[in-house]
């Protein structure tokens, strides 16, 4: 059997991309030399978009790369890995990316809202993957680490501890009055 | 907001590189205006992300302007400064100028700075400077804040490329981190331990023997361990009647689908695998074929297709499941199902 045992390595993410509904790059990070120039990267993104924007099928093999993807309104999220990579690991990265963005944008996962919060989204992307290594797979940890002020998060998404903390603070102030 | 809304409704559309770089002169003003500077820095980062080319002098000028923003205490702005440092570190000159500012943030009180500062610092550090921050790196690896520990471990791994001798001295700290209860920290620590030892066959064997006996909490670490176990078995040419194979087979009953699939994939791809060892792996792949998750069906049918090339008889039990996948909405899955059936199925099943 032509064995394709995976070389054990923490470097497993080739690229992460967010495209709009015309296939234009919103944000993209390439972590290895599969597509060494910007021109090749953008050609790959166009091709990827053409092959995926109508088929909501979650996974595709393209140019020898395994791509898992999700979309929402006018945004497309992609995570790329080697064609021998464990697809379920790639999906866990994709889900973390999507859920982090969704929490940051308070469920308005669309281009307009993304552009309004581009700075935080860039930080979130940086918290999920560091140079091709999966850094954090839990969306709530990612959101917590991107310096999003806690008063910006709707109550339903605050942790119990945060709610207690703010309740305690309010009580303290009412006693001091 | 005075944003220039282009035809696409994208305020970042058609940004002029020279204009944006000129706006960056505002970074020199004191006191820093966090809101305006955040917006300008975001535009610079966006341009770089779009693949805009900055020449050495442009990059260096932008880099030095960004360093002025260290004066501001605004958390968001500081975090974007780290991103700017990382993005420009390969093109700008004299980037080591920010070493002391980053070292200060790495060892400071603000936890939101520490992890990100470590990652930026390690990006601009060379072997000689690394010795100067070695003490802090060792402390960070065993820090109780998970983000700090993970940042230090992952950065150490990147540094293995340029300063392997220094990083090898941090093995005790990595050992301590691997025993922690955070799944990402454990994964990163385990990965670093392996990368430190990977050229020493005996050390790798010991590492694998140790971790297959204890329980790693992180499913990511278990997947990595399965890969290392396979490598050791292939290199040593051991028979499948050994504890490493038992461990992999045991992972077929793990609670995480990611690990179950990794184990099945490993068994299928091991050279010595016979139909006897294949049976339990085929059973889990068969279950995955009817999963509502497309990726799980894809992974299963792709692996079954692999088995069909050498052991077609082992896959016949799944023929009915594969037939159902011929009409799958995902065309890759449908195609793989057909090609697999062509190797295993009788003509009647293809007709159906």
């Amino acid at each position: 059997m032509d064995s394709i045992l995976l070389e054990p390595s923490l470097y497993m993410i080739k690229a992460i991309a967010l495209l709009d509904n015309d296939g234009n790059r919103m944000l993209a990070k390439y972590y290895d030399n599969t597509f060494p120039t910007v021109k090749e990267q953008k050609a790959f993104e166009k091709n990827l978009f053409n092959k995926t924007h109508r088929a909501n099928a979650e996974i595709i093999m393209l140019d020898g790369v395994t791509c898992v993807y999700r979309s929402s309104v006018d945004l497309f999220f992609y995570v790329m890995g080697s064609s021998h990579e464990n697809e379920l690991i790639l999906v866990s990265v994709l889900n973390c990316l999507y859920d982090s963005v969704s929490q940051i944008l308070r469920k308005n996962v669309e281009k307009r809202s993304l552009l309004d919060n581009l700075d935080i989204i860039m930080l979130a992307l940086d918290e999920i993957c560091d140079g091709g290594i999966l850094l954090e797979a839990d969306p709530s940890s990612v959101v917590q680490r991107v310096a999003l002020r806690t008063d910006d998060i709707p109550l339903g998404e605050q942790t119990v501890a945060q709610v207690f903390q703010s309740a305690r603070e309010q009580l303290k102030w009412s006693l001091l009055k | 907001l005075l944003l220039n809304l282009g035809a696409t409704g994208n305020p970042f559309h058609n940004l002029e590189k020279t204009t944006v770089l000129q706006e960056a002169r505002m970074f020199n003003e004191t006191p820093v205006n966090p809101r305006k500077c955040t917006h300008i820095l975001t535009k610079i980062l966006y341009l770089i992300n779009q693949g805009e080319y900055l020449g050495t002098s442009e990059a260096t000028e932008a880099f030095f302007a960004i360093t002025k923003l260290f004066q501001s205490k605004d958390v968001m702005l500081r975090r974007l400064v780290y991103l700017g440092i990382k993005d420009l570190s390969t093109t700008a000159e004299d980037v080591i100028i920010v070493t002391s500012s980053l070292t200060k943030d790495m060892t400071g009180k603000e936890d939101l700075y520490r992890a990100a500062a470590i990652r930026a610092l390690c990006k601009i550090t060379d072997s000689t400077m690394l010795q100067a921050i070695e003490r802090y790196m060792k402390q960070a690896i065993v820090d109780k804040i998970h983000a700090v520990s993970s940042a230090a471990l992952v950065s150490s791994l990147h540094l293995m490329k340029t300063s392997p001798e220094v990083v090898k001295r941090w093995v005790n700290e990595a050992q301590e981190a691997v025993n922690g209860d955070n799944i990402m920290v454990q994964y990163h620590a385990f990965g670093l331990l392996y990368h430190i030892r990977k050229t020493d066959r005996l050390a790798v064997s010991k590492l694998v023997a140790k971790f297959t006996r204890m329980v790693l909490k992180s499913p990511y670490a278990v997947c990595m361990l399965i890969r290392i176990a396979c490598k050791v078995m292939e290199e040593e040419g051991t028979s499948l009647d050994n504890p490493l194979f038992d461990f992999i087979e045991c992972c077929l009953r793990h609670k995480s689908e990611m690990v179950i699939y990794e184990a099945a994939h490993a068994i299928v791809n091991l050279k010595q695998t016979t139909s006897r060892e294949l049976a339990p792996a085929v059973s889990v792949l068969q279950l995955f074929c009817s999963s509502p998750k497309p990726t799980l069906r894809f992974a299963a049918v792709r692996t079954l297709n692999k088995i069909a090339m050498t052991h077609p008889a082992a896959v016949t039990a799944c023929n009915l499941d594969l037939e159902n996948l011929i009409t799958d909405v995902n065309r890759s899955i449908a195609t793989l199902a057909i090609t697999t059936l062509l190797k295993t199925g009788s003509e009647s099943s293809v007709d159906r």
Side-chain angles (χ1 to χ4, degrees), chain A residues 1 25 58 127 130 145, chain B residues 49 79 158 227 295 310:
Chain A
M1 195 181 286
R25 179 189 287 190
E58 200 177 283
E127 289 295 334
D130 184 306
R145 289 175 194 179
Chain B
N49 198 277
R79 294 294 300 273
H158 296 318
R227 292 179 198 185
T295 303
T310 48

Side-chain angles (χ1 to χ4, degrees), chain B residues 27 113 164 198 293 319:
Chain B
F27 296 170
Y113 293 170
K198 75 174 175 191
K293 299 174 192 164
N319 278 3

Side-chain angles (χ1 to χ4, degrees), chain B residues 245-302:
Chain B
F245 187 80
D246 293 345
F247 161 76
I248 297 173
E249 198 165 41
C250 196
C251 288
L252 289 173
R253 291 181 295 277
H254 197 275
K255 62 179 189 300
S256 156
E257 282 171 343
M258 191 193 287
V259 174
I260 297 171
Y261 173 61
E262 185 75 43
H265 184 270
I267 292 170
V268 170
N269 284 290
L270 274 167
K271 280 198 197 80
Q272 310 97 314
T273 305
T274 65
S275 7
R276 192 170 64 88
E277 289 95 27
L278 277 176
V282 170
S283 302
V284 302
L285 294 171
Q286 183 173 15
L287 279 178
F288 286 176
C289 281
S290 49
S291 163
K293 299 174 192 164
T295 303
L296 214 54
R297 299 198 299 276
F298 177 89
V301 69
R302 197 158 82 98

Side-chain angles (χ1 to χ4, degrees), chain A residues 16-20 22-30 35-43 45-46 75-76 111 114-115 118 121-122 125, chain B residues 8 10-17 20 41-54 87-88:
Chain A
I16 294 179
L18 272 76
L19 307 181
D20 71 3
D22 294 315
N24 295 317
R25 179 189 287 190
M26 294 280 94
L27 284 175
K29 284 273 179 194
Y30 287 77
F35 304 100
T37 65
V38 177
K39 204 175 154 200
E40 287 164 274
Q41 291 171 5
K42 293 209 170 169
E45 285 162 24
K46 276 272 179 271
L75 280 178
F76 292 79
K111 183 174 163 180
L114 179 96
L115 289 166
L118 198 63
I121 303 297
M122 288 197 275
L125 192 55
Chain B
T8 55
N10 177 350
F12 296 98
H13 191 65
N14 285 333
L15 286 180
E16 270 291 334
K17 177 175 77 171
V20 177
L41 186 47
T42 304
K43 287 199 273 189
I44 296 175
L45 293 171
Y46 177 81
L47 278 181
I48 296 172
N49 198 277
Q50 286 296 313
E52 187 78 56
Y53 176 76
L54 298 191
D87 280 358
L88 292 166

